[in-house]
Amino acid sequence: WLTKRILSPCFDEMAYSRLPYMFGEESSERAARDHSEGNCVAFAEYILWKLREELELDESSAQSPAFIIPSTLPEAYHQPGYPHWAHAVVAIPLRDFGCIILD
C-alpha cells in the first residue's frame, strides 16, 4: 500500500530541484504542491500531504499519520540566510512498535 499509493506517485510526480528557492521566498511545502519539485524537505512535506490525502485526514487536524525528522548543521557550518535544516526524512509510526523511515 505504501509503495503503490504514496511512494510511486512521489517518484513519478516530484523532481529534486533547488530552483523554487532561487527565485523567491518559496517554502518547501509550496514548492512541492505548486511546482512538484523541491529539496528533501519538500519531498517530506509531499509525503505527509499524500498520506493525509490517502487516509482522508483534514490538514488542520492535529492527528498526523507521520512526522518529519529534521537534521541540522553544526553552528560552525551554518550560513546566514540559509535554512537551519540540512536534511529531512519522514517517520511513519507502526501500530505495535518502531517506525518506517522514508529518506
Side-chain angles (χ1 to χ4, degrees):
W1 172 86
L2 180 63
T3 301
K4 183 178 179 182
R5 303 295 292 247
I6 306 299
L7 297 179
S8 288
C10 180
F11 298 139
D12 290 342
E13 297 170 6
M14 289 285 293
Y16 184 87
S17 173
R18 293 179 43 187
L19 287 174
Y21 314 106
M22 297 171 96
F23 298 109
E25 294 291 322
E26 189 76 62
S27 72
S28 293
E29 183 177 4
R30 288 201 49 172
R33 289 185 187 210
D34 296 348
H35 308 294
S36 297
E37 64 182 335
N39 59 13
C40 57
V41 179
F43 275 81
E45 292 284 358
Y46 176 88
I47 290 170
L48 288 180
W49 174 48
K50 286 300 232 185
L51 281 168
R52 284 189 180 106
E53 186 178 80
E54 186 66 30
L55 298 171
E56 298 179 354
L57 296 174
D58 187 280
E59 288 189 43
S60 62
S61 170
Q63 183 182 13
S64 180
F67 54 92
I68 295 175
I69 301 173
S71 67
T72 58
L73 292 173
E75 287 300 319
Y77 300 106
H78 191 261
Q79 297 287 323
Y82 283 87
H84 196 65
W85 289 10
H87 188 62
V89 300
V90 174
I92 302 173
L94 301 174
R95 284 190 182 148
D96 297 327
F97 64 95
C99 62
I100 297 171
I101 302 287
L102 304 174
D103 185 6

